[in-house]
Amino acid sequence: MNEPLIEVRNICLSYSNERADGLVLKNINLSINRGDFVSILGPSGSGKSTLFHILGLLLRPTEGHVFFHGIDTKNFSPDMHAFLRNRHIGFIFQDFHLLPHATALDNICLAARYPSEISPAIVNPRRKAYTIAERLGIEHILDLYPTQLSGGQQQRVSIARALMHDVDIILADEPTGKLDQKNARAVVTIFEELHQEGKTIIMITHDLAIAHHAYRSIELIDGTIHATHTLKKPHYVPDFIPARTFLPPRLPFHKCLQALFPEALAHIMRNRMKSFLMMLGIIIGSASLIVMLTLGRYTSRKIIQSYEILGSNKIRVYGYPNQNQVATDQAPLVFRSFQVDKDITPLKKKFTDIKRITPMLRSVFKNAAAGGKIIGENRVALMGIGPDYPYITQRKILLGHHLTEFHIENKSPVCVVGFSIAKQLFAHENPLGKLIEVTDNSTLRVPCRIIGVMQSIEKIESTNPPNYHVLVPYTYAIATSTQQWHSMIHEIILQINPKTVSSFHERLHKHFTTRYGNSGTFNIGNDSELISQMKRFIMMFAIFLTSSAIISLCVGGIGIHNMMLVSIAERIREFGIRKALGATDQSIKLQILIETMSLCSFAGFLGFLLGFFIYEACILLATYFVPELTFEWIIEPSAVAFSCFAICTVGIISGLLPALKTKKLNVTEALSAR
Ligand code: ADP
Ligand code: MG
């Protein structure tokens, strides 16, 4: 006895939704044998298509059992259903159900991609498609799109698609319904040929003439089988090959991605304009992100560099004896003032961060006189310095030269004067070699010979204007001082490596307090406080810029997300077709995810390029306004890394949410969606 290929027992199907409420199929019993050519005939609305969906494993009945190759399909998973549809059933629809944006060839090859989780059964789908197309006489229209084809051609394309896998069953729902008589006859002839070759054919129709081409005709009226007519005796029964009723092993995830990637890419390419609009938000978002991050880092680097040039890596150390020292305080050494040989010189050896160092004796509110002229009003400052002083403070010489080691060692009575002193005392003569005398209003008299004049520095509202400085060797300042306090060094100026500014302060302070205990008070002047404040400000600024860029990126992501949702709603029928042909839910989800991820990464890449040119243009523009800047090509690795991370996150989230929404996709409803 020939075993039934598909058998339905006591099938009932009811709908309870807004379209209908009640039984559509009532207690149907039917078995389709191998080699059968069955037509199911019935008026419109009698439940033919519903039965078609049940026989094609597209719809589960409300009650009853469907046996496929003798096995009850009730407990089969949705993936198993998809697999059986894909490998055993060739679907032909009244509406053809071709993907409108794919060529005839791509449409024919579609089923070969699914289920994407298992190894494909066809090695070279395109070649096979061509062979089938040749047989059906449509090989010349393979590059055309469905809208460019006649109804007859479209139906042949869908027959070719049904034949891609070597299926047992051809299941056709009103295949001639949209065709003229000539084409209808041609399609039936194809079915007859396929039947001769051993395929089992189930053809649904409401046309009696067409139905009579079958070997057996089943009449369906109002959801029940009204009559069965045997028209011809089945003459051909091939060997029985049982269906694979288990799922082959799954492919690794990356293979599955590989299988779906071309399909996703093809979809993007087919909808270029829509894809570009989707990408626009991400392009703008990622461009602004990379611009903000890069320019933020670039400007902060430039600002800090310019502060360093101004001497922010200059540190002043003040040390005074502690007036409030208690008798019981233990101190290894008692501090009175800094000693050059014991405190200052060893410091440079101990701290490798120190580049230069100078003692500083500062005595302000002095006057200067020469040749009968005087600069009064206590504007002059007498500074006892070491040879490193001009380098630390970056004071440039205009005439003559700076004080040298020689002058320091020999307590030479020489000086380097500020620009205003030279100008006011020696208006029309060369000040070099001239003698001046720095005095205060009591006994101090410091005579010295000018060996250098410094360039003018304009500092507004300074109480200690640099143009009125008189720099003398600190040794000479000590030797000529009239007060004990002024002969002691209480200030040191250091120039340090700018990178270590913050930790250096603490280390230096610790050094002096362990050495002198409580006997001295040490203050470390904070020129560098300014720079760290500046850094904080710059960081705040960068955070502000970055967050606004991230917001724009998120807006882009929401854009992709929304447009994807809209596009999914528009593509319900497409997904229905894919699922009918064997795509699993996961394939559909993965395809959407791949589409959005590809869009996001490509948009991110375009945004990156755009951003790169924008920030380079900004830098170029800035060089015209800020003469200190020079144009440079920059790529901030941290900015690039952060942007990539942000784009990927936005891409995954905006793709994942719409993908998850497709989970409950009913094939039957999806196929009838417009
Ligand atoms: P036929 O293909 O013979 O014209 P169908 O099987 O398409 O008939 O439909 C049979 C009946 O089931 C019709 O009354 C139709 O309105 C109803 N029906 C079909 N699909 C649905 C559905 N998804 N929801 C509710 N009612 C449906
Ligand atoms: Mg129908």
Side-chain angles (χ1 to χ4, degrees), residues 113-128:
R113 297 194 187 282
Y114 296 119
S116 49
E117 292 89 344
I118 62 174
S119 296
I122 304 165
V123 186
N124 191 340
R126 296 179 88 82
R127 180 178 299 164
K128 182 156 186 190

Side-chain angles (χ1 to χ4, degrees), residues 217-351:
S217 176
I218 295 166
E219 228 174 299
L220 194 71
I221 293 177
D222 210 10
T224 50
I225 293 180
H226 186 66
T228 306
H229 310 281
T230 306
L231 305 169
K232 295 170 202 165
K233 204 169 149 28
H235 65 104
Y236 180 81
V237 180
D239 295 337
F240 182 71
I241 310 155
R244 290 177 87 160
T245 48
F246 58 89
L247 263 180
R250 280 172 173 261
L251 287 174
F253 187 67
H254 70 273
K255 287 261 162 123
C256 186
L257 280 184
Q258 234 171 33
L260 287 170
F261 192 74
E263 198 58 30
L265 207 62
H267 179 85
I268 293 175
M269 293 311 286
R270 273 182 229 127
N271 300 277
R272 276 185 217 109
M273 195 59 210
K274 208 186 261 180
S275 306
F276 177 72
L277 287 178
M278 272 196 196
M279 283 169 19
L280 210 56
I282 296 277
I283 294 177
I284 294 168
S286 65
S288 54
L289 191 63
I290 195 88
V291 169
M292 305 280 183
L293 286 173
T294 309
L295 284 187
R297 290 192 68 91
Y298 174 78
T299 43
S300 82
R301 208 171 50 223
K302 289 290 158 190
I303 290 170
I304 287 166
Q305 268 172 16
S306 66
Y307 267 75
E308 275 162 13
I309 289 166
L310 285 177
S312 63
N313 51 345
K314 193 172 74 185
I315 290 181
R316 293 172 193 272
V317 184
Y318 302 92
Y320 302 100
N322 186 1
Q323 311 291 351
N324 306 324
Q325 199 183 5
V326 187
T328 51
D329 282 350
Q330 294 282 325
L333 289 166
V334 176
F335 184 81
R336 294 180 64 73
S337 67
F338 293 119
Q339 307 291 309
V340 173
D341 49 344
K342 293 193 185 108
D343 294 312
I344 300 177
T345 316
L347 216 53
K348 202 168 169 177
K349 290 205 185 78
K350 177 153 185 188
F351 293 95

Side-chain angles (χ1 to χ4, degrees), residues 15-21 24-25 42-51 173-174 204 220 668-669 672:
Y15 285 116
S16 58
N17 56 19
E18 65 278 0
R19 265 181 67 193
D21 194 5
V24 174
L25 293 179
S44 179
S46 57
K48 300 185 301 293
S49 293
T50 310
L51 184 60
D173 187 7
E174 312 222 23
I204 286 168
L220 194 71
T668 316
E669 280 171 21
S672 61

Side-chain angles (χ1 to χ4, degrees), residues 363-499:
S363 126
V364 291
F365 306 130
K366 301 287 176 279
N367 304 319
K373 290 184 189 164
I374 187 156
I375 299 172
E377 296 168 10
N378 299 334
R379 299 187 73 174
V380 177
L382 183 70
M383 327 264 266
I385 56 158
D388 274 353
Y389 178 84
Y391 302 105
I392 297 175
T393 53
Q394 312 227 341
R395 293 208 65 175
K396 304 263 169 1
I397 212 89
L398 183 70
L399 290 172
H401 52 82
H402 270 301
L403 297 173
T404 63
E405 199 82 52
F406 174 84
H407 298 122
I408 314 290
E409 272 179 27
N410 294 294
K411 303 181 191 167
S412 307
V414 291
C415 60
V416 174
V417 296
F419 184 77
S420 300
I421 292 182
K423 193 178 166 191
Q424 287 179 26
L425 293 181
F426 308 100
H428 302 293
E429 39 187 339
N430 184 355
L432 293 181
K434 297 281 184 325
L435 200 67
I436 65 164
E437 196 171 54
V438 180
T439 61
D440 63 2
N441 296 329
S442 65
T443 54
L444 181 79
R445 294 268 178 284
V446 184
C448 55
R449 200 167 292 282
I450 297 175
I451 61 162
V453 178
M454 290 179 286
Q455 282 182 10
S456 173
I457 297 179
E458 295 304 335
K459 255 194 189 173
I460 309 153
E461 289 181 41
S462 172
T463 52
N464 182 13
N467 285 348
Y468 287 93
H469 282 177
V470 176
L471 310 181
V472 295
Y474 74 90
T475 45
Y476 183 57
I478 292 171
T480 53
S481 71
T482 50
Q483 287 173 350
Q484 201 196 7
W485 181 257
H486 283 142
S487 67
M488 295 197 300
I489 302 170
H490 293 291
E491 183 180 347
I492 308 171
I493 308 179
L494 304 169
Q495 188 188 32
I496 63 157
N497 193 340
K499 287 192 178 121

